[in-house]
Amino acid sequence: MKKQIEAFKQYLIVEKKSSSNTVESYLRDLLQFSSYCASIKITTVQKVKTDTINAYMQYLTNQGKSDATKARISSSIRAFYRYLISIGAVTENPVNAANKNKVEKKMPGVLDSSQIVLLLSQPSGNDYKSIRDKAMLELLYATGI
């Protein structure tokens, strides 16, 4: 599996022109997944099934990983398998049928009155840009945009 992960890394760098942070994140997630697979005696990408993915997600839950982390890892594995399909190494993506990790969407926070006063007092000059910026902030605040 490590050989395919290395090839995927080159694909991300050369063809997709992914940022170094993206490449590092994918590799970290995939190497951890590869280690998990090795621990349960799965040594090739072809032997990974949907049950393997579900078991890995449960393992991550037991390790205390957040839903957002599990969703990111699932996305990394999904992208890896899309790549493997594109080069003909596998015929199906086991992540597609796996249990989906729902990431809780949080409502945005609300500013308190002291934060609002501080925000609206920031553009304090009398030049055109300061007046424009102050007008924009007041418009955003007044309309609730």
Side-chain angles (χ1 to χ4, degrees):
M1 201 178 285
K2 292 198 188 317
K3 181 179 165 185
Q4 286 98 346
I5 293 173
E6 185 58 36
F8 181 60
K9 174 185 174 184
Q10 292 308 312
Y11 166 77
L12 290 172
I13 293 169
V14 175
E15 292 186 38
K16 295 279 282 180
K17 303 210 183 317
S18 299
S19 73
S20 60
N21 285 342
T22 298
V23 173
E24 287 174 26
S25 293
Y26 276 123
L27 290 181
R28 181 180 56 249
D29 294 342
L30 293 172
L31 290 173
Q32 289 173 355
F33 176 65
S34 174
S35 294
Y36 170 81
C37 288
S39 75
I40 60 170
K41 309 292 188 255
I42 294 177
T43 57
T44 65
V45 292
Q46 294 82 3
K47 290 184 180 179
V48 173
K49 303 296 179 206
T50 300
D51 291 342
T52 311
I53 303 297
N54 288 333
Y56 183 57
M57 291 300 138
Q58 185 58 50
Y59 168 78
L60 293 173
T61 299
N62 295 343
Q63 295 293 312
K65 301 296 183 187
S66 72
D67 289 341
T69 298
K70 292 186 296 186
R72 188 201 71 233
I73 291 168
S74 178
S75 177
S76 296
I77 299 169
R78 182 178 292 110
F80 178 55
Y81 271 86
R82 275 196 307 261
Y83 162 75
L84 292 173
I85 289 169
S86 75
I87 63 168
V90 296
T91 57
E92 61 184 41
N93 192 332
V95 181
N96 289 342
N99 297 335
K100 304 287 187 235
N101 291 308
K102 302 276 183 185
V103 178
E104 183 181 326
K105 294 182 180 177
K106 297 178 183 173
M107 293 296 291
V110 178
L111 299 177
D112 64 33
S113 59
S114 64
Q115 291 171 318
I116 292 168
V117 169
L118 179 64
L119 177 69
L120 294 176
S121 69
Q122 289 305 309
S124 59
N126 289 326
D127 59 278
Y128 290 118
K129 286 184 180 180
S130 295
I131 294 169
R132 178 205 62 197
D133 292 348
K134 186 166 187 68
M136 288 187 333
L137 287 172
E138 287 183 7
L139 174 70
L140 292 173
Y141 175 68
T143 60
I145 294 179

